[in-house]
Amino acid sequence: MTPLDHGAAVAAETARFVAAVRQADAALPVPSCPGWTLGDLVRHAGSVQRWFTVLLQQRIQEPPRSRDVDLRLPERPEDYPSWLAQAAEEAAATFARTDLDAPMWAWGADQHARFWVRRMLFETLVHRVDAELALGAEPAVEPELAADGVAEFLTNLPFAAFFAPATAELRGDDRAIRFSSVDGGGEWLVRLRADGFGLDPDGVGATADATVRATAADLLLLLYGRLDRTSERVERSGDEELLAHWFAHSSF
């Protein structure tokens, strides 16, 4: 499979996001982000893109001590979509002049600049989905892109406890959950051990205590809490208590 161009995908996802919200009411509630309006959602996405872009420009080698960034946020929420589009343009320019294979601090598993491009991609994609859901549209995510998002989520989740403290409870006596794509996207086995949890790189074909099967897109939405595991689009088997424990503590 040809590796995804994460930088190009950031641009494409941002364009889809902007197109969805350009003429929308900024005061519209976003059900998948309780308490947020569409304006809040766009402001968050643009702020994250600008923050990650600054990190890449500085190519930081240790955790940042400040999150102060000149956001240049417009006064009117109706101008936020154009502002988000500009954030993606600035990000693309930074990607083009950055060695994305260069060593760099990151909070996740991949300690290279490319981590932040991939992370920006899925932050943008998930919030594009949030916007479309709020607007009553049926979001679509291409299988290859969704599978990459599932892998990115499950790879980095064990490192997320400092901002997602509930993940520290994802422990078990060598219990295993399989996430399986029904449209050829892939298969992932997560093991919960006494000392923590993580992907098992040799887990394909291994026995699992519980299995979740869906399209790659639905697995991605499920992992991010945008789809309930009881949905008819999700097939579950095995230990339901284990699955309940996972979804109660894996919020990202």
Side-chain angles (χ1 to χ4, degrees):
M1 183 180 295
T2 303
L4 284 171
D5 183 336
H6 293 123
V10 168
E13 284 297 319
T14 307
R16 292 174 71 172
F17 196 158
V18 170
V21 301
R22 176 85 66 185
Q23 303 301 324
D25 180 0
L28 184 73
V30 180
S32 52
C33 297
W36 282 16
T37 64
L38 209 53
D40 295 330
L41 185 74
V42 179
R43 183 178 62 216
H44 171 77
S47 299
V48 168
Q49 288 200 3
R50 281 174 164 79
W51 168 235
F52 288 3
T53 296
V54 167
L55 296 182
L56 281 164
Q57 291 168 349
Q58 297 176 348
R59 219 178 86 187
I60 59 171
Q61 300 300 319
E62 59 183 22
R65 295 183 175 85
S66 170
R67 293 194 62 165
D68 291 339
V69 174
D70 181 9
L71 295 176
R72 305 187 299 282
L73 186 70
E75 291 185 5
R76 304 187 312 161
E78 54 263 41
D79 294 329
Y80 288 179
S82 295
W83 171 81
L84 174 58
Q86 291 166 2
E89 291 173 2
E90 293 173 16
T94 297
F95 300 162
R97 60 176 179 261
T98 300
D99 177 5
L100 299 181
D101 292 326
M104 180 176 168
W105 177 84
W107 63 259
D110 186 0
Q111 297 287 298
H112 295 86
R114 59 183 178 252
F115 169 90
W116 293 103
V117 184
R118 196 182 187 198
R119 185 84 292 277
M120 188 188 296
L121 167 58
F122 292 109
E123 278 277 340
T124 304
L125 185 154
V126 169
H127 291 315
R128 183 265 293 176
V129 166
D130 289 328
E132 291 176 343
L133 290 171
L135 291 164
E138 184 65 34
V141 185
E142 293 76 10
E144 183 181 2
L145 181 59
D148 190 66
V150 171
E152 195 265 354
F153 181 96
L154 293 174
T155 297
N156 290 317
L157 190 64
F159 300 88
F162 74 101
F163 63 85
T167 58
E169 301 300 319
L170 291 174
R171 300 171 183 269
D173 186 14
D174 194 26
R175 307 288 283 168
I177 303 173
R178 171 172 287 107
F179 296 93
S180 181
S181 166
V182 300
D183 53 357
E187 182 178 292
W188 302 266
L189 190 82
V190 176
R191 290 198 181 277
L192 280 67
R193 308 174 305 273
D195 61 347
F197 72 100
L199 275 176
D200 182 346
D202 302 316
V204 176
T207 300
D209 298 287
T211 297
V212 179
R213 299 180 76 248
T215 65
D218 282 344
L219 286 177
L220 182 65
L221 298 183
L222 177 67
L223 289 170
Y224 275 98
R226 270 61 178 184
L227 181 67
D228 193 274
R229 71 180 188 277
T230 62
S231 167
E232 62 182 13
R233 289 153 46 185
V234 178
E235 178 185 332
R236 310 183 317 278
S237 60
D239 189 337
E240 281 290 341
E241 289 188 6
L242 177 60
L243 290 177
H245 180 68
W246 169 269
F247 287 108
H249 296 89
S250 60
S251 179
F252 195 90

